[in-house]
Amino acid sequence: MKVYKSSDGTILGIENRTENWRTAAYLLRLQAGHISLLAERLGESRLKPSEVKLELFWKGVRDYLHSLGTDRPDHDNLSRRYNRLFSDLHQKVKGYSGLNCGEKYQVGGEESKKKLYDNLFNTEIDIVLETPSCLFVGEAKHKMDSLGTNGNYVLVHQLIRQYVTANILVDLIPCKSKPTVIPFLVVDTPEAVRRKHQVKFMIKQGWLKAQNILSWNEIKNLKQNPGQGME
C-alpha cells in the first residue's frame, strides 16, 4: 500500500505546530551537500559532504551508556566529570541577574549526583551535526515553544543543560581528538531570541555565537544552494 505523506504539516486542515515536525520536515529534506553547507554556516571549515553526519532528537548519553552494556548507573563518574569541567558553573549562573538558580548546578551529595545522572541521561538534542573537529548541538523552536526551565533539575536551564551534556559526553568517549562542542539554535525570529536570558548567558560565556542563531528560512534556503560536491 502506498502511503502519501503530508507535505505541508496539516491533517484535516489543522496545522502541526510542533517543533519536532518542523525539524524533521526541514532537515530530512536536505541532501548531504546541504548538510555540509549548514556545518560551514555554523563555523566549520569547508568539508566534503561525506564528512558530516546528521542526527535528530538525539539522546547521546543514554545511547552511549546503553552501548556499554551495563544497567548500573555510574553516578560518581558523571559527577566527577561535571565538577571538573564545570566547577564554577553554579557561581556563573547565580551571578547572572537574568537567571534564577538558587542552589542548583551544585553536585556533591548522593541525591544531587542521582539527579545529575537523570538530567544527562534524559537530555535530548533536536539537531546534531558531527564533523571531524566539531559537534554542533542545535535546539529548534517554533511558534509557541519557549526555552525550557525546570526547577526540579540540577541543570535547570535547557540550553545550558544541553551544552553541559554534550561536553560531558565528549569527555566520556575515549578518542585521541576531542571535537569542540558548538551550540546553535533554529528559530522563527532570531532577533527576539537573542534577547532571552539563557541565550544572553550562553553568549556571555563564549559558548554560543550570536550568528549561530538561525532562522527557519535559512535552513529552507539551503536547498536553493547547489552546495559543493553534492552526493
Side-chain angles (χ1 to χ4, degrees), residues 1 4 7 38 40 57 83 85 87 89 94 112 117 133 139 159 162 174 179 192 202:
M1 180 178 68
Y4 292 90
S7 61
L38 176 57
E40 292 171 21
F57 316 123
N83 285 322
L85 294 171
S87 60
L89 182 55
K94 193 172 183 177
S112 63
Y117 180 94
S133 60
E139 176 63 21
L159 296 183
Q162 291 176 353
M202 295 281 292

Side-chain angles (χ1 to χ4, degrees), residues 29-48:
R29 292 172 182 170
L30 298 179
Q31 298 180 42
H34 299 134
I35 296 170
S36 66
L37 285 176
L38 176 57
E40 292 171 21
R41 167 65 180 81
L42 294 169
E44 181 59 278
S45 57
R46 188 166 175 177
L47 297 168
K48 297 177 182 178

Side-chain angles (χ1 to χ4, degrees), residues 4 10 22 52 74 98 100 105 107-108 119 121 124 126 139 155 161 188 193 208 219 224:
Y4 292 90
T10 64
R22 176 164 286 234
V52 186
D74 193 347
N100 297 316
Y105 294 101
V107 178
N119 287 181
F121 189 89
E124 179 180 89
D126 292 333
E139 176 63 21
L155 309 177
R161 182 166 64 251
D188 294 313
V193 171
L208 172 66
I219 302 299
Q224 309 303 318

Side-chain angles (χ1 to χ4, degrees), residues 184-202:
F184 69 99
L185 290 93
V186 183
V187 299
D188 294 313
T189 53
E191 298 79 10
V193 171
R194 290 188 186 105
R195 296 193 291 269
K196 300 290 186 180
H197 286 303
Q198 280 194 55
V199 172
K200 291 168 71 174
F201 176 83
M202 295 281 292

Side-chain angles (χ1 to χ4, degrees), residues 70-89:
T70 177
D71 294 328
R72 294 188 63 185
D74 193 347
H75 299 157
D76 288 334
N77 184 17
L78 293 182
S79 63
R80 281 196 303 270
R81 293 174 191 274
Y82 171 79
N83 285 322
R84 172 167 53 82
L85 294 171
F86 297 99
S87 60
D88 58 350
L89 182 55

Side-chain angles (χ1 to χ4, degrees), residues 88-99 101 201 204:
D88 58 350
L89 182 55
H90 168 74
Q91 292 300 327
K92 286 180 176 179
V93 177
K94 193 172 183 177
Y96 185 81
S97 60
L99 297 177
C101 74
F201 176 83
K204 181 180 180 181

